[in-house]
Amino acid sequence: MERARSRSPRSYLIVRVSTLAGRVWERSFHRQTKVAAVSEALRAAVDGHASEHHRLVLEVHGEVPAELKEADTLDSYTNADQSILELTLIRVSGHLALSGSKDRMLRLWELDQCSCVHELGVHGGDVTGLEVDWEKKLALSG
């Protein structure tokens, strides 16, 4: 008689992806899942809201956002005790990205150099939504 494989809670992560426009997508993945598979599942789930102009990044308060590498596994970005991996889906234009966070700052990032090139002032509160039109060079935050 074949034993059923147990689904160890430590073998799986909840991947929670937030967009800067306020949408949240959440799904359980095995820790050994490649980032490419998560990206593909995200593109399918949001039906066109994620494209080649979007990148998954891991943001740690006050640090440069780290873009996830497609060939990496999810456990590359977590520790053994972590059960949720919080990511942000950002829209990029070539080598630039705009981010906002709980520190009430908007930041323009140069992705090739992994550096903040401009801080766009202090928000009245947490930045909970952000939409960018790169062609018109306009951003709306809330």
Side-chain angles (χ1 to χ4, degrees):
M1 181 173 183
E2 188 177 323
R3 287 182 57 178
R5 282 183 14 191
S6 67
R7 187 172 164 151
S8 168
R10 291 191 185 267
S11 298
Y12 287 81
L13 281 170
I14 299 293
V15 176
R16 183 177 300 142
V17 179
S18 301
T19 68
L20 296 175
R23 295 182 205 91
V24 177
W25 177 81
E26 194 173 278
R27 185 168 161 196
S28 177
F29 287 94
H30 192 278
R31 289 178 177 276
Q32 295 299 313
T33 302
K34 299 274 187 193
V35 170
V38 175
S39 296
E40 185 62 34
L42 176 62
R43 284 185 185 93
V46 297
D47 191 31
H49 292 290
S51 71
E52 66 279 356
H53 299 293
H54 288 81
R55 303 288 184 264
L56 284 172
V57 296
L58 179 61
E59 287 190 278
V60 178
H61 180 70
E63 294 182 19
V64 176
E67 184 173 350
L68 276 65
K69 294 177 177 68
E70 295 278 308
D72 286 351
T73 58
L74 294 175
D75 65 343
S76 303
Y77 301 97
T78 62
N79 60 48
D81 296 331
Q82 195 171 343
S83 61
I84 297 176
L85 178 59
E86 301 256 5
L87 303 173
T88 303
L89 182 70
I90 61 170
R91 183 178 300 157
V92 299
S93 175
H95 62 280
L96 296 175
L98 187 64
S99 71
S101 66
K102 293 180 181 179
D103 69 357
R104 306 181 327 177
M105 296 295 293
L106 293 172
R107 289 184 176 85
L108 182 63
W109 298 92
E110 204 292 328
L111 298 175
D112 293 335
Q113 301 298 318
C114 295
S115 63
C116 178
V117 293
H118 193 67
E119 290 186 343
L120 301 168
V122 177
H123 236 248
D126 295 353
V127 179
T128 58
L130 180 61
E131 194 65 41
V132 180
D133 184 330
W134 291 106
E135 289 178 17
K136 295 180 182 176
K137 298 183 181 176
L138 295 172
L140 179 64
S141 62

